[in-house]
Amino acid sequence: MNYLTSLVMPCMILVIILIGIKEKKDVYSLFISGAFEGLKMVYSIFPYIFGITIAVGLLRDTGVIDKIAEPFSNILYSFGVPSDIIPMLILRPLSGSASMAMAMEVFETSSPDSKAGNIVSIIMGSTETTLYSVAVLYSVVKVKKARGTIIAGLFADFIAITLSIVIVNKFF
Amino acid sequence: MSKVWTAIIIISIVFAIFCGNASNVTNSILENSQKAVDNIPNITGMLCFWSGIFKIFEGTSVVEKLADKMSVIIKKLFDKNSLSKEAEKYISLNIVSNILGVGNAATVNGIKAIKELSKYSKEGVASDNMTKFVLINTASIQIFPTSMISLRTLYGSANPAKIVIPIIVISVIALVGGLIMINILNKVMREE
């Protein structure tokens, strides 16, 4: 499985280049012009990534995240949710790296095969950084009114989180 | 998003002041600004690389065929009156990259897709097609949850791949739920 997954990226690159050659494209100039577009993308999305990084940092470093987690921990515990996954749940929609760091903390304290470890792994795999993705994609086209996007995205995350907890409690 | 951001900043600072650790705010900002900037080389490198690779791919006939194959699904999901051929192409590439788990390639194609979709929208307001497209990106399906498997291996899991099937099943259900929700919300929250 691990080797299989490590094959995806190299094969993708190889196949794309071979197809380009077969269709007699100027592979090199295309790559360069694409790389230039990539540079422009970074220019337009970086300020938004920057804004989120600062906000998530403040949330963690001032201890707000633990304060928010406190009242929930007892309620969630009665549903079979170990309380050490709560900070990860709160950070998940905002930041991939911050929620990954929280997941690693759970692995460190409980082990990946524990109940908390399994729940965390499945949630990390089946949800996305919803608010972050919305911010980045809409920023490119200067959309201010996202309408139902955030609610629907968080709703999908909520389904994934609930199912992860149920499945680990029932089948693991 | 602007409300979420503002709320986080205000709550964090007020909380820190009341708890008497206001210096945490300064330190946090200093540390995280640096972290964000330190990340620029990574983001820039990967986006330039995948943007370059996909530029090669875009012009080939394979992409057209791929878009044709996926257009059945895409036309079911999106309103075809405001969907250009180009948008269809980038949406297919974005979905395929997401499924394969090549996140940076998905970002590259996602940005191009939303630019195409925005040509049919009012300025500053997300169209129905845009809300659906962004939703698919926030609830995407991945066949190989690579980073989670390697992280579990790193922390000594006895069965790192045990989570793969639950992840696929759950993300499909969550995606369907999200799509139903966005279809309802698109009707409730009109473009004005």
Side-chain angles (χ1 to χ4, degrees):
Chain A
M1 192 69 191
N2 278 334
Y3 186 65
L4 204 66
T5 55
S6 68
L7 280 176
V8 175
M9 238 191 250
C11 287
M12 202 159 158
I13 301 166
L14 191 66
V15 167
I16 289 177
I17 291 179
L18 290 177
I19 293 168
I21 295 170
K22 194 182 145 235
E23 298 199 358
K24 301 204 165 47
K25 304 279 176 195
D26 184 351
V27 176
Y28 176 66
S29 330
L30 283 171
F31 180 80
I32 297 297
S33 77
F36 187 57
E37 280 174 21
L39 210 54
K40 286 188 278 190
M41 276 180 206
V42 177
Y43 181 76
S44 63
I45 65 175
F46 177 73
Y48 296 86
I49 299 176
F50 184 75
I52 292 176
T53 312
I54 298 286
V56 170
L58 277 175
L59 212 52
R60 280 178 68 180
D61 299 338
T62 57
V64 172
I65 208 98
D66 303 317
K67 206 77 200 162
I68 302 175
E70 250 175 46
F72 288 110
S73 60
N74 281 330
I75 311 166
L76 288 175
Y77 193 76
S78 57
F79 289 104
V81 186
S83 61
D84 37 346
I85 72 165
I86 297 172
M88 182 281 251
L89 287 184
I90 300 168
L91 290 178
R92 182 59 184 153
L94 285 165
S95 160
S97 55
S99 53
M100 193 62 102
M102 290 298 176
M104 280 155 84
E105 247 174 68
V106 174
F107 288 169
E108 184 87 58
T109 49
S110 313
S111 115
D113 296 319
S114 66
K115 191 179 192 180
N118 281 322
I119 294 178
V120 161
S121 315
I122 298 177
I123 292 175
M124 287 297 291
S126 58
T127 58
E128 263 287 329
T129 50
T130 303
L131 294 172
Y132 173 86
S133 311
V134 172
V136 166
L137 284 173
Y138 280 157
S139 72
V140 181
V141 286
K142 310 233 162 7
V143 161
K144 296 245 156 48
K145 289 205 168 118
R147 295 166 68 212
T149 322
I150 291 176
I151 301 174
L154 291 177
F155 176 69
D157 289 344
F158 177 75
I159 297 177
I161 291 168
T162 315
L163 285 176
S164 309
I165 293 166
V166 171
I167 287 181
V168 170
N169 275 309
K170 285 237 182 276
F171 301 105
F172 274 63
Chain B
M1 190 61 208
S2 62
K3 281 179 207 146
V4 176
W5 190 84
T6 319
I8 291 177
I9 300 290
I10 293 174
I11 292 170
S12 304
I13 294 180
V14 171
F15 182 81
I17 292 172
F18 272 97
C19 292
N21 50 12
S23 63
N24 277 4
V25 175
T26 331
N27 291 337
S28 169
I29 291 174
L30 197 72
E31 208 175 285
N32 287 294
S33 329
Q34 200 185 343
K35 207 169 83 186
V37 175
D38 283 345
N39 251 326
I40 296 181
N42 284 330
I43 312 170
T44 314
M46 285 327 277
L47 283 189
C48 285
F49 178 76
W50 285 108
S51 179
I53 291 292
F54 270 88
K55 193 80 192 173
I56 303 172
F57 198 36
E58 262 171 41
T60 65
S61 60
V62 180
V63 173
E64 310 280 314
K65 281 176 203 148
L66 181 76
D68 276 350
K69 285 232 165 65
M70 292 193 62
S71 77
V72 190
I73 312 165
I74 291 173
K75 282 194 174 121
K76 273 225 168 68
L77 286 172
F78 296 94
D79 169 23
K80 32 183 185 294
N81 297 322
S82 46
L83 191 69
S84 63
K85 205 82 200 141
E86 288 288 289
E88 226 178 276
K89 182 172 92 183
Y90 291 127
I91 292 173
S92 333
L93 290 177
N94 168 265
I95 293 176
V96 172
S97 322
N98 264 325
I99 291 176
L100 290 174
V102 190
N104 289 301
T107 308
V108 166
N109 292 305
I111 287 171
K112 288 184 172 172
I114 196 117
K115 274 189 181 158
E116 283 300 322
L117 289 174
S118 75
K119 288 180 184 162
Y120 289 88
S121 75
K122 280 184 221 157
E123 216 185 301
V125 184
S127 66
D128 284 4
N129 277 347
M130 285 159 82
T131 58
K132 277 182 231 171
F133 175 70
V134 175
L135 180 98
I136 292 174
N137 272 278
T138 66
S140 65
I141 296 161
Q142 200 185 319
I143 311 180
F144 308 109
T146 331
S147 52
M148 239 30 244
I149 294 177
S150 43
L151 209 59
R152 284 169 66 88
T153 315
L154 188 73
Y155 281 88
S157 166
N159 190 355
K162 196 183 181 187
I163 52 160
V164 175
I165 290 167
I167 285 177
I168 295 173
V169 174
I170 291 172
S171 43
V172 170
I173 299 172
L175 176 62
V176 172
L179 280 172
I180 294 171
M181 192 63 159
I182 197 69
N183 275 315
I184 297 169
L185 290 176
N186 275 344
K187 291 194 182 84
V188 180
M189 304 163 90
R190 297 230 157 251
E191 284 167 69
E192 277 159 27

